[in-house]
Amino acid sequence: MDVGASPPSAGASLSRSTIWRLVTNGDLVTPRPSPSEVDNGTIDLRLGSLFLIGKRSSVAAMSTEHPEEGEKLFNEVRIRSDRDLVLQPHQFVLATTLQYLALPEHVCGLIQSRSTIGRMGVVAVAAAWVAPGYKGSPTLEIYNAGDIAIKLRPFGVPFCQVILLRAERDAPKRSRYHCATRPLFARKQQHGLAGRWDWES
Amino acid sequence: MIAADHQRRAVLERFFNADRALRQISTHPESLTEGATQLLDAAQPVLREAATTFLDKWKERERLPEPERDRHLSKFCSQFGDVLRQFESTVIPALEGAEPENIPFEMENYLLQEVKSAAPTWNIKGTVLASEHRYNYAIGYHELSRWQNTVATDGAAGNVAPQRFIHFTIPRATRDSMSLHAVLLGHEIGHLREWHSPLATDDRFLVVFPEDRLDADRFTIPLIAVKDSFNRTSRSWMAEFVADVYAALLLGPGALFALDEIAAAVNSYVDTATHPSTPRRIAIMVRVLDRSGFLNVEAVGRSMYEHLLAYVDLSRGALDRQPEEGSVPVMSLVWNCLRPLMEDLIEACSERIGSPFEAREWWAVERAARLLEGGRPCGELEMHDHLVATPPAVILNAGWLIKATALASLVDELGFDPTLASSEIRANHVLEQLVLKSFEISSFRQANQWT
C-alpha cells in the first residue's frame, strides 16, 4: 500500500510543506510567518499589543452563569511594541496574537504555549480550540504561575503556537468570537456578534 | 505686595497641578505612543525649569522698592501665567487625549511617515495623536522652545533650538472610523503640506480684495470691515481647498467618502466664514479624481463607478451656486475670486506631490477588498511576486469599497441575521476593526521583511 496516496485522515496534523503551501496561497495566517516559524503541524504566534487586565473592584465574584458581566472588571491596555508588560506573580491577563488566523473549513487548531515560555512559569492558554473555518486573532489566557515577575513583549519572540489538524465538518458554524482583532472577554451567545440590539424588535 | 503675593501663589499652584498631571501621565510609559512619549520627555524638564526660574527670579525682584515691586511682580507673574496657559491648554490635553484606547494607535507609524514627507525640512520633535470629546478634527503645532525662551530671558528672544510638535486632534467617539483615518492621512496632512510649502501665498493664488470693483453703498458695514472678513474667509477657504486637493491626490475616492460622511455628521452643507460648503468641496475633489482616472468604469469596476457617479451628480451645479448669506455678501465675493483659480490650484498641488495614488492601482484595492469581504485583514498583499506591506491608501479604499458596495457579504460571512438593521452596523464595526488590524499588520510587515 502506498501510504502517500491514501487520503489524510481527520485529526492528522498538517505537514510543514502543506502548511507552507496554504500559507503562500494566502490561507491560515497573516502576517505571513517566516520559514523558521513554521514546523510540522505548527505555526508560531507572537503576542499582540492589546491586553485585558483585571482591575480592583468591590464586586465580590464573577458568575459563570453570566460571564459577560465580568467584562467591566477588566481594562484594555495597549503596550508599545518596544516596551514590556510586566506580568506579576499569579497575575492573570487576557491577550491576543499579532497574527490573524483564517483556517479553511477542513483545518482546525489547538493553541498551546511554547515550552520556553512555559518553563518560565507562564501558562499561556490551556489547549484553546480553534474551530474549522475560524477567522480572527484568538484570545490568549495568560497566567504567571511562578513567583517571579515576567516581562512580555508585544510582537516579540514567538509566544505560543497553533497546532494545525485536518478536520471533518458538517456545516460551518460561526463562533461568537469570529473575526475578533482584540482580546475579548467571555460572551454569552445572544450578546455576541450575532445578537440583536436591545431596542430592536 | 498683597496682589502680587496672591498671583504668586496662584502661579505656583498651577505649576504644581501641571507637574502633577504630567507625572500621572508618566506612570505608564509602556502604553504611551511614541509622539506622546516625546512630548512628555520634552515638556517635563521645561515645566520644572520654568518653576525653578520663577522662584529664583521672584526672590530677585522682591528686593525692589515699592510701589515698583508690586507692579513689577504682577507683570512677572503674568508672563509665567502665559507659559502655564500653553501647557494647560495644549500640552496636557494632548497628552491626556493620547491614551491608546482613545486613538487609532495602529496608524501611528504611517502618520509619522506622512508628517515627515509633508514637512521634510522642519525639525519636528514629535507628532502627537490625541482625542477629545468634541466632534472636531484639527491639526496644530506648538513649539516648546518658545516657552523656554520666555522662561529663560523674561520674554526676550533666546537661543534655544526649536522643539516643534505636530498635534492631531480627533473626536474620541470615532476612534475606529475609516472616515477619521482618511481625514487624518489626507486632509490634515494636506494642511501640514500647505504650512510647510504654502500655495496660498503664491502669486498665482494670492486673492486680493476687489475694492476698486465694489460699490461701497451696497454694504451695510464699512468697506474696511468687509475687506477684513474677505481676507480671513478667502485665506481659510483656500486652505481648505488645498487640503482637500492633497487629500484626493493622496487617497483617491476614500478621501471623498470620508468628507461626505463627516459632513453628514456635522451638517456642513452650507458655506461658512471658515469652510466652503461640502458640495463645493466635493465638486473640487471630483475634479481631482477625474484627473487621476477614477471616474472610469473600466478602472474601478461597475460598483465603485456607480457609487462615484452619485457624487458627480451631487456636485453638479455646486461650483455655480452662490453662497447663501445675509446682507454682506462676503462669501460670494470670495467664491467669485477663488473659483477661477481652482483648476490651476489642482495642477499646482499635483506638481508638488505627483500622483501618489491613481486609478491604475485600483486592482490592489480590489484584491484587498476581497480579503476584507471575507472577514480578513488586508495588511499585506502579493504585488509583483513580492509580499509587501499594503499602502494606507489601498487599505482605506478597500475598506470603503466594501462599506459602499459589499457590506451584505460581510454580514453573511459573520453569520449575522440580514433582516436586522443592526447587522449592517455590527458588520461595519467589524470592518473598521479589520481595517485597523490591516494597518497594524502593514506596519509590522514594513518593519519585518522576509520572503
Side-chain angles (χ1 to χ4, degrees):
Chain A
M1 181 169 87
D2 182 353
V3 174
S6 59
S9 54
S13 63
L14 303 187
S15 68
R16 188 175 189 278
S17 57
T18 300
I19 292 175
W20 197 248
R21 179 173 49 78
L22 288 169
V23 162
T24 48
N25 278 346
D27 276 326
L28 290 184
V29 68
T30 180
R32 185 181 295 180
S34 69
S36 62
E37 291 174 327
V38 176
D39 205 345
N40 279 314
T42 65
I43 298 176
D44 288 340
L45 303 175
R46 301 171 190 232
L47 273 182
S49 65
L50 288 172
F51 299 83
L52 289 180
I53 300 180
K55 51 188 178 186
R56 294 198 179 277
S57 162
S58 58
V59 171
M62 289 191 280
S63 167
T64 54
E65 298 300 307
H66 300 283
E68 70 286 355
E69 289 176 4
E71 189 169 9
K72 59 181 180 282
L73 301 175
F74 284 75
N75 275 333
E76 187 178 84
V77 172
R78 180 248 180 169
I79 304 295
R80 278 170 51 168
S81 59
D82 58 344
R83 304 290 179 111
D84 299 305
L85 172 77
V86 179
L87 194 65
Q88 299 295 338
H90 312 296
Q91 184 180 11
F92 170 79
V93 301
L94 293 173
T96 189
T97 58
L98 161 68
Q99 286 88 350
Y100 189 96
L101 303 180
L103 302 192
E105 297 290 345
H106 65 280
V107 175
C108 61
L110 287 168
I111 297 185
Q112 68 172 23
S113 310
R114 294 186 74 242
S115 64
T116 309
I117 306 295
R119 286 160 207 251
M120 295 173 74
V122 178
V123 177
V125 177
W129 162 248
V130 186
Y134 170 80
K135 288 174 186 152
S137 295
T139 295
L140 306 176
E141 301 139 16
I142 303 179
Y143 173 66
N144 183 359
D147 297 318
I148 302 171
I150 307 279
K151 289 182 181 176
L152 304 178
R153 173 70 57 106
F155 305 172
V157 296
F159 184 78
C160 57
Q161 57 195 183
V162 59
I163 304 167
L164 296 163
L165 308 165
R166 291 202 187 276
E168 284 184 6
R169 188 172 171 141
D170 290 326
K173 183 181 170 226
R174 292 289 174 252
S175 149
R176 72 195 78 167
Y177 308 110
H178 197 61
C179 294
T181 58
R182 309 165 86 99
L184 295 179
F185 199 73
R187 287 180 172 181
K188 268 186 132 168
Q189 186 62 46
Q190 65 265 34
H191 289 150
L193 292 174
R196 68 175 69 216
W197 285 340
D198 290 340
W199 58 84
E200 207 160 13
S201 57
Chain B
M1 188 62 179
I2 293 175
D5 261 349
H6 282 166
Q7 277 187 285
R8 171 179 172 269
R9 192 161 57 241
V11 167
L12 286 176
E13 280 174 11
R14 287 168 71 189
F15 270 122
F16 177 81
N17 289 334
D19 186 56
R20 192 179 55 174
L22 293 183
R23 280 175 193 271
Q24 178 63 30
I25 292 162
S26 68
T27 56
H28 46 276
E30 68 281 357
S31 295
L32 294 177
T33 59
E34 188 178 331
T37 303
Q38 285 161 341
L39 180 57
L40 183 67
D41 288 349
Q44 276 183 313
V46 167
L47 187 72
R48 284 182 197 143
E49 186 192 341
T52 309
T53 305
F54 175 78
L55 288 167
D56 289 345
K57 291 190 183 291
W58 176 274
K59 282 186 193 143
E60 288 169 17
R61 282 153 180 75
E62 267 194 311
R63 291 193 280 272
L64 291 170
E66 291 288 8
E68 297 94 85
R69 179 171 53 188
D70 202 58
R71 207 168 39 240
H72 195 84
L73 286 172
S74 281
K75 186 180 167 195
F76 174 70
C77 287
S78 298
Q79 284 172 339
F80 278 86
D82 289 341
V83 172
L84 278 164
R85 199 168 302 116
Q86 296 213 354
F87 266 87
E88 291 157 351
S89 62
T90 52
V91 173
I92 293 172
L95 288 170
E96 288 176 341
E99 294 285 317
E101 61 266 22
N102 295 325
I103 55 168
F105 61 83
E106 296 91 339
M107 291 179 52
E108 191 189 17
N109 280 350
Y110 279 115
L111 194 61
L112 298 181
Q113 289 169 29
E114 289 298 323
V115 164
K116 271 199 190 113
S117 169
T121 62
W122 281 6
N123 177 22
I124 296 173
K125 184 85 175 168
T127 297
V128 183
L129 177 56
S131 68
E132 58 179 36
H133 291 293
R134 282 189 309 158
Y135 198 95
N136 179 39
Y137 294 86
I139 179 174
Y141 69 83
H142 37 267
E143 286 186 16
L144 273 180
S145 52
R146 264 210 319 261
W147 307 326
Q148 284 171 304
N149 289 336
T150 302
V151 161
T153 59
D154 283 343
N159 294 323
V160 181
Q163 288 194 90
R164 183 174 271 156
F165 286 87
I166 302 295
H167 175 195
F168 291 91
T169 305
I170 59 169
R172 195 158 295 179
T174 59
R175 178 217 176 272
D176 293 347
S177 157
M178 284 184 290
S179 308
L180 177 154
H181 311 146
V183 164
L184 272 184
L185 289 178
H187 184 87
E188 302 304 333
I189 290 290
H191 277 308
L192 182 59
R193 284 184 180 275
E194 173 63 7
W195 292 342
H196 181 264
S197 310
L199 275 171
T201 51
D202 187 300
D203 283 343
R204 290 175 289 172
F205 305 112
L206 212 51
V207 179
V208 177
F209 182 59
E211 194 164 354
D212 53 343
R213 287 187 269 130
L214 293 176
D215 176 9
D217 292 337
R218 68 186 258 244
F219 296 104
T220 55
I221 60 175
L223 216 52
I224 189 81
V226 177
K227 184 178 180 181
D228 278 343
S229 295
F230 175 92
N231 287 337
R232 277 196 304 272
T233 298
S234 62
R235 273 197 298 269
S236 188
W237 278 32
M238 180 60 96
E240 295 304 322
F241 282 129
V242 168
D244 284 341
V245 170
Y246 278 136
L249 288 169
L250 289 167
L251 296 179
L256 177 67
F257 304 147
L259 170 64
D260 184 39
E261 192 156 290
I262 288 166
V266 301
N267 194 21
S268 69
Y269 290 98
V270 293
D271 298 287
T272 67
T274 54
H275 287 71
S277 68
T278 298
R280 224 178 281 284
R281 295 169 69 179
I282 284 176
I284 298 300
M285 287 175 107
V286 163
R287 288 269 217 272
V288 177
L289 295 182
D290 196 10
R291 276 176 61 113
S292 302
F294 288 105
L295 297 186
N296 180 327
V297 64
E298 274 155 29
V300 302
R302 173 64 51 186
S303 314
M304 178 50 72
Y305 177 70
E306 284 176 1
H307 197 70
L308 285 170
L309 277 187
Y311 289 91
V312 174
D313 289 340
L314 174 69
S315 65
R316 218 180 294 280
L319 297 183
D320 295 324
R321 218 169 290 133
Q322 287 296 319
E324 289 175 20
E325 48 193 337
S327 57
V328 184
V330 171
M331 290 189 287
S332 297
L333 281 175
V334 166
W335 179 237
N336 291 339
C337 290
L338 288 182
R339 194 202 164 155
L341 305 175
M342 288 293 112
E343 289 298 331
D344 286 344
L345 182 70
I346 294 170
E347 182 70 38
C349 291
S350 300
E351 281 169 14
R352 287 272 170 103
I353 65 170
S355 300
F357 182 60
E358 287 181 316
R360 62 174 176 218
E361 294 161 71
W362 197 256
W363 63 270
V365 171
E366 289 189 334
R367 193 178 286 185
R370 294 293 75 80
L371 289 171
L372 292 173
E373 190 179 16
R376 301 204 229 177
C378 57
E380 55 183 18
L381 286 180
E382 199 84 43
M383 289 167 87
H384 312 298
D385 297 329
H386 285 102
L387 191 67
V388 299
T390 311
V394 172
I395 296 173
L396 285 172
N397 278 279
W400 277 108
L401 179 56
I402 297 304
K403 181 168 180 166
T405 66
L407 206 53
S409 300
L410 189 54
V411 167
D412 188 53
E413 163 63 36
L414 293 167
F416 293 172
D417 181 349
T419 64
L420 294 179
S422 59
S423 292
E424 269 207 351
I425 310 304
R426 282 204 173 87
N428 183 62
H429 174 69
V430 172
L431 176 63
E432 289 178 343
Q433 299 292 311
L434 288 173
V435 166
L436 284 171
K437 187 70 179 177
S438 302
F439 273 107
E440 183 177 76
I441 290 173
S442 179
S443 291
F444 178 83
R445 176 56 65 214
Q446 237 194 6
N448 298 276
Q449 292 285 343
W450 52 72
T451 53

